[in-house]
């Protein structure tokens, strides 16, 4: 265990004990401030949730926003993710962070099994599926079966195919759903995501199942369409999110250890601009999220406001061409109290809208579309105007394009999901500029870290040969 984990736990246990009787647990955990000698199934739960969610929030800003034309560095003289200039080390932090916490999730699951606690085991299975899905969708084939087994002298883990990873994590989510005992509670501390609401944890499990099944729905061997219909058509056995209050959204209060991932919130805004693509769509919708996400642009005097205006992603590097100072991100988004989104209720409604639009479920696509839009707006504390859907740009028109545009807006600040969904559908259609590199193609994966190539060369080579190369344009298994 790292010192950082233990410091988090020490603060967390103190806060938890202020509201509950846990003297024995506190004494057990704090035998040594730098070493946890024995863990309960709940010991690692909150650090896992906080650390992975915090990391994902920062990556949304530093990578997904730029790649998916939400925001960009400005001025930006050359290169950059928004110009599809993706360095070889772009995925290093993703690989290292996810594997670090997957090791902790594995330990949490083992503790839950030893304690014969089905709820904590189900939660561990869910968190494992969540993180592995992010990892494999970012890289493709990854070590799984032999990962985190250094204690067994497995130092050079073989890579699993992405199909194998998805088969395993979807089976784990099925099992997790069956394990939950909503009457059994959670006895090892208070969790920071759901405050020990087991029913909401089960909804997260099944909502995640829908996300991942949709991701692989073009692979016939996964039987995803039938499995998604079974979930949607039997909500009693497979409950999913039905409100924002049930969504997997972490409330970061600002009270230690729940502090903003941004050490200096001003860094979120400084040298950053809204992308014209993203903000122009919000403008066309007259969307109430605009002031939640961005400040208004001004003339170059820095005083005269001119509404919400962005800079084209991949612009040709001459910042002097713009006669205004663009809208910049709202610092309130990263100032506690703030939220970190694991998975939203809006995403579930857009999944249902897509399934209905494709006639895979007997439901009204328009109704689910509108529920998704309303939930996405309310999630950020904005109010939906009564005439919102009277706007032709907002009204449901029966197309997948319309659903995916609003889903793209709804996935704002949700790890890499905008990128993953774009790769699945090609939507929304992103504009191209002459300043973009990589033949103006949106990259579809990270390269494996250099230390993986060097330290686990044999297995790396096998994986790369199987995938067709280690390149940012090599599509992963589920992509068309």
């Amino acid at each position: 265990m790292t010192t950082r984990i233990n410091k988090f736990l020490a603060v967390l246990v103190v806060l938890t004990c202020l509201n509950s009787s846990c003297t024995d647990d506190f004494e057990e955990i704090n035998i040594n401030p730098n070493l946890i000698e024995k863990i309960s199934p709940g010991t690692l739960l909150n650090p896992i949730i906080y650390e992975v969610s915090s990391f994902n929030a920062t990556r949304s800003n530093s990578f997904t926003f730029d790649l998916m034309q939400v925001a960009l560095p400005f001025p930006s003289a050359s290169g950059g993710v928004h110009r599809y200039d993706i360095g070889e080390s772009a995925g290093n932090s993703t690989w290292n962070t996810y594997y670090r916490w997957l090791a902790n999730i594995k330990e949490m699951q083992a503790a839950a099994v030893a304690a014969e606690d089905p709820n904590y085991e189900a939660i561990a299975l869910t968190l494992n599926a969540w993180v592995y899905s992010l990892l494999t969708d970012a890289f493709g084939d990854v070590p799984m079966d032999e990962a985190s087994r250094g204690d067994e002298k497995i130092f050079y883990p073989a890579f699993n195919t992405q199909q194998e990873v998805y088969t395993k994590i979807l089976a784990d989510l099925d099992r997790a759903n069956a394990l939950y005992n909503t009457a059994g509670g959670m006895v090892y501390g208070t969790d920071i995501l759901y405050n020990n609401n087991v029913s909401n944890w089960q909804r997260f499990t099944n909502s995640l199942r829908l996300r991942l099944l949709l991701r692989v729905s073009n692979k016939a061997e996964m039987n995803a369409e039938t499995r998604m219909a079974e979930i949607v058509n039997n909500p009693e056995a497979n409950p999913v999110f039905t409100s924002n209050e049930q969504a997997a959204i972490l409330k970061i209060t600002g009270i230690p250890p729940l502090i903003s991932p941004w050490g200096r919130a001003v860094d979120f805004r400084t040298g950053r601009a809204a992308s014209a693509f993203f903000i122009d769509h919000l403008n066309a919708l007259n969307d109430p999220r605009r002031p939640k996400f961005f400040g208004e642009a001004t003339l170059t005097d820095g005083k005269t406001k001119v509404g919400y205006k962005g800079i084209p992603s991949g612009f040709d590097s001459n910042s002097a061409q713009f006669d205004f100072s663009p809208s910049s991100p709202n610092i309130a988004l990263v100032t506690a109290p703030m939220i970190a989104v694991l998975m939203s209720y809006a995403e579930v409604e857009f999944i249902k809208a897509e399934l209905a639009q494709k006639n895979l479920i007997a439901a009204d696509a328009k109704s689910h579309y509108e529920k998704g839009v309303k939930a996405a707006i309310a999630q950020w504390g904005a109010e939906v105007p009564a005439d919102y859907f009277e706007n032709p740009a907002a009204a449901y028109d029966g197309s997948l394009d319309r659903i995916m545009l609003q889903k793209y807006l709804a996935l704002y600040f949700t790890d890499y999901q905008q990128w993953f969904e774009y790769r699945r559908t090609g939507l929304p259609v992103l504009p191209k500029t002459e300043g973009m590199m990589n033949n103006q193609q949106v990259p579809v994966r990270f390269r494996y870290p250099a230390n993986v190539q060097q330290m686990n060369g044999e297995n790396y080579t096998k994986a790369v040969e199987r995938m067709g190369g280690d390149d940012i344009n090599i599509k992963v298994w589920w992509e068309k």
Side-chain angles (χ1 to χ4, degrees):
M1 297 297 166
T2 66
T3 301
R4 184 179 183 184
I5 298 173
N6 285 273
K7 287 181 178 178
F8 183 102
L9 288 167
V11 176
L12 192 63
V13 170
V14 170
L15 293 177
T16 302
C17 289
L18 292 176
N19 298 305
S20 62
S21 177
C22 58
T23 303
D24 291 340
D25 288 341
F26 180 83
E27 290 176 351
E28 180 184 69
I29 292 173
N30 277 302
I31 291 173
N32 184 327
N34 295 313
L35 178 66
I36 299 176
E37 297 180 352
K38 181 180 180 181
I39 69 167
S40 75
T43 302
L44 292 170
L45 176 57
N46 288 335
I48 292 165
I49 296 169
Y50 172 79
E51 293 290 348
V52 178
S53 300
S54 296
F55 173 78
N56 286 345
T58 61
R59 289 299 286 167
S60 291
N61 174 58
S62 63
F63 185 82
T64 311
F65 282 3
D66 289 19
L67 193 68
M68 291 301 299
Q69 302 196 23
V70 175
L72 66 154
F74 185 79
S76 175
S78 63
V81 174
H82 72 105
R83 296 190 179 98
Y84 304 159
D85 181 16
I86 310 299
E88 293 186 6
S89 62
N92 286 11
S93 64
T94 300
W95 181 278
N96 295 332
T97 299
Y98 288 162
Y99 270 116
R100 180 166 66 252
W101 290 102
L102 283 166
N104 285 287
I105 293 169
K106 180 181 179 182
E107 190 168 357
M108 174 188 166
Q109 183 182 351
V113 171
E116 299 182 347
D117 192 307
N119 287 332
Y120 281 95
E121 183 180 357
I123 291 169
L125 289 169
T126 299
L127 293 173
N128 189 70
W130 173 52
V131 179
Y132 260 116
S133 70
L134 295 170
L135 180 70
T136 190
D137 288 348
F139 290 93
D141 294 1
V142 294
M144 182 180 65
D145 290 344
E146 294 186 355
S148 304
R149 294 175 63 181
D151 57 335
E152 301 175 50
K153 308 300 182 184
I154 300 177
F155 302 118
Y156 309 104
F159 285 60
N160 287 89
T161 67
Q162 190 173 42
Q163 181 177 354
E164 290 170 342
V165 173
Y166 259 87
T167 299
K168 175 66 164 60
I169 61 179
L170 283 167
D172 284 349
L173 291 173
D174 289 346
R175 182 164 178 268
N177 180 53
L179 279 172
Y180 283 111
N181 175 10
T182 56
M186 296 171 62
V187 298
Y188 298 101
T190 302
D191 84 83
I192 57 176
L193 182 61
Y194 282 131
N195 195 32
N196 292 17
N197 187 318
V198 177
S199 294
N200 281 345
W201 274 109
Q202 186 176 22
R203 291 185 182 98
F204 179 29
T205 297
N206 290 307
S207 298
L208 184 60
R209 286 169 71 197
L210 282 180
R211 172 195 279 180
L212 301 186
L213 285 166
L214 185 62
R215 188 72 39 83
V216 300
S217 57
N218 72 319
K219 308 303 291 187
E221 61 268 34
M222 299 303 290
N223 195 28
E225 294 179 354
T226 298
R227 294 163 74 180
M228 286 186 289
E230 289 173 351
I231 294 171
V232 173
N233 293 332
N234 191 354
E236 184 174 341
N238 308 288
V240 297
F241 300 147
T242 58
S243 70
N244 281 339
E245 290 68 32
Q246 298 169 351
I249 297 178
L250 177 63
K251 295 178 176 63
I252 296 178
T253 61
I255 301 172
L258 298 177
I259 59 174
S260 170
W262 276 260
R264 297 195 319 160
V266 70
D267 292 338
F268 178 66
R269 180 178 61 196
T270 304
R272 298 283 285 168
S275 169
F277 177 78
F278 188 82
I279 211 161
D280 285 353
H281 277 296
L282 292 180
N283 285 333
L285 294 164
N286 194 25
D287 198 285
R289 285 170 287 190
R290 284 177 297 180
K292 298 292 183 180
F293 294 167
F294 302 105
E296 289 192 57
T298 63
L299 296 179
T300 51
D301 62 10
K303 298 178 181 179
T304 307
K305 294 183 178 181
V306 291
Y308 297 94
K309 297 180 68 175
I311 299 296
S313 294
F315 71 98
D316 66 7
S317 81
N318 177 18
S319 59
Q321 67 186 286
F322 304 104
D323 61 358
F324 62 94
S325 296
S327 295
S328 60
N330 186 347
I331 198 171
L333 290 166
V334 299
T335 305
M338 58 173 285
I339 62 173
V341 183
L342 288 73
M343 185 174 182
S344 68
Y345 160 54
E347 184 179 346
V348 171
E349 288 296 342
F350 287 122
I351 291 171
K352 291 180 178 180
E354 181 176 343
L355 296 179
Q357 190 267 344
K358 294 178 176 177
N359 295 315
L360 298 177
I361 60 173
D364 182 9
K366 177 176 180 288
S367 175
H368 286 301
Y369 166 83
E370 292 186 353
K371 286 180 180 179
V373 173
K374 291 176 181 178
I377 291 173
Q379 174 184 305
W380 294 102
E383 293 187 11
V384 183
D387 61 350
Y388 186 89
F389 295 106
E390 295 176 17
N391 182 341
Y396 179 61
D397 63 2
S399 71
L400 181 62
D401 298 59
R402 184 56 53 92
I403 294 171
M404 293 308 300
L405 174 61
Q406 285 284 358
K407 188 175 185 181
Y408 161 76
L409 298 175
L411 289 173
Y412 175 80
F413 241 134
T414 309
D415 53 69
Y416 295 123
Q417 295 307 310
Q418 287 179 326
W419 182 35
F420 296 160
E421 283 295 271
Y422 174 82
R423 287 158 48 193
R424 181 178 69 86
T425 65
L427 298 171
V429 177
L430 300 173
K432 299 179 180 180
T433 70
E434 291 300 320
M436 289 177 175
M437 305 170 69
N438 197 43
N439 294 321
Q440 300 178 321
Q441 297 180 61
V442 177
V444 296
R445 62 179 292 274
F446 291 128
R447 291 194 62 186
Y448 294 114
N451 66 336
V452 174
Q453 302 175 36
Q454 296 163 3
M455 302 301 294
N456 194 12
E458 182 178 347
N459 288 314
Y460 161 81
T461 299
K462 290 179 181 177
V464 169
E465 289 176 349
R466 186 169 57 227
M467 291 176 60
D470 185 11
D471 185 271
I472 60 173
N473 298 312
I474 295 294
K475 292 183 177 181
V476 302
W477 163 72
W478 49 257
E479 290 183 76
K480 294 181 180 179

